[in-house]
Amino acid sequence: AEDAEISLEANPGTLSPEYTASLLNAGVNRLSIGVQSFAERDLALLGRIHTSTQAMEALLSARRVGFGNLSLDLMFGIPGQSLVDWAANLNKALALQPDHLSLYSLILEPGTQLFNDVAAGRIQPVSDDLSADMYEMAMDVLEKAGFSQYEISNWARRESFEVKHNKIYWKNQLYLGV
C-alpha cells in the first residue's frame, strides 16, 4: 500500500551512512534508533555497543540520507541516573529534532549482567518513586516541546508520526512483523 509504514528498529552502533541509505532505498520509511541514553556511563552499564556521539551521528546521518520519520528510544530508571541526568537525556534528544520518542522504564531482565549485579547488591536500582518522577518529567518536558503523548510510552511531534503498527496492534488488527 502506498501509505504502508515500513519501520525498522536499529542500533546506533550498526548504522553507517551507507547502510542507512540502503535501508531507505529498500523502502524503509520509518527508522527507530535505540539510543537508550546519551550518557556514556549509562550505555556502559547497559552493555550497549554504541557511544553517545555515535547515537547522535546515526540520527543526523539518517536525516541527511532522506529519512523523514525518525524515532528515538530512551530508557529511564537506569541505576545511578538522577532527575538531572534524565533531563539532560531528554534535552539532547529534543535538540536532534526527532519526529517520535519512545521512553521506557528500565526492566531488569533475569539472565542479564545488570539483573545479576542488582540481585547481588553490587548495583543499587533506582527507586520506584524516582522512576515515576522521571516519567512525569518526560510528560511535562515533551508536552512543552510540542509532542503529544498517544500511548503510555510514546510521543509524537504530529499525529502523522504516531506509529501505525503500534496503533494497529492495540486494536488487534493485522500487521506484518519480520
Side-chain angles (χ1 to χ4, degrees):
E2 283 193 27
D3 66 342
E5 175 186 88
I6 303 171
S7 184
L8 183 115
E9 294 189 13
N11 185 315
T14 62
L15 281 178
S16 68
E18 298 78 22
Y19 180 56
T20 304
S22 71
L23 293 172
L24 186 65
N25 291 334
V28 174
N29 57 19
R30 179 181 181 276
L31 188 61
S32 178
I33 302 174
V35 173
Q36 312 317 344
S37 178
F38 289 103
E40 300 301 337
R41 184 197 63 80
D42 294 346
L43 295 172
L45 186 68
L46 295 170
R48 301 297 293 177
I49 65 168
H50 66 274
T51 65
S52 176
T53 300
Q54 286 173 311
M56 289 184 276
E57 182 52 38
L59 185 119
L60 295 173
S61 176
R63 283 279 188 232
R64 281 193 297 270
V65 302
F67 270 97
N69 190 348
L70 291 170
S71 181
L72 298 180
D73 291 358
L74 294 175
M75 281 188 185
F76 60 93
I78 299 168
Q81 191 178 48
S82 68
L83 278 174
V84 171
D85 297 332
W86 179 234
N89 266 318
L90 291 172
N91 289 329
K92 284 183 182 180
L94 290 171
L96 293 168
Q97 300 181 343
D99 305 301
H100 185 275
L101 289 164
S102 293
L103 309 178
Y104 302 105
S105 177
L106 176 69
I107 296 172
L108 295 169
E109 294 290 341
T112 64
Q113 185 61 49
L114 186 54
F115 178 91
N116 294 340
D117 287 342
V118 169
R122 291 185 292 270
I123 294 177
Q124 185 66 34
V126 167
S127 72
D128 290 343
D129 286 342
L130 178 55
S131 191
D133 289 344
M134 290 176 177
Y135 181 76
E136 290 176 356
M137 174 190 283
M139 292 170 64
D140 293 340
V141 167
L142 295 179
E143 182 180 8
K144 288 176 185 162
F147 282 76
S148 295
Q149 184 176 11
Y150 68 97
E151 287 183 346
I152 290 173
S153 299
N154 292 293
W155 285 259
R157 188 176 296 283
R158 292 192 312 267
E159 187 175 352
S160 62
F161 292 120
E162 292 179 4
V163 181
K164 290 180 183 180
H165 69 269
N166 282 3
K167 293 168 80 173
I168 288 170
Y169 174 83
W170 291 116
K171 293 177 183 177
N172 202 27
Q173 296 174 337
L174 295 176
Y175 65 95
L176 175 64
V178 180

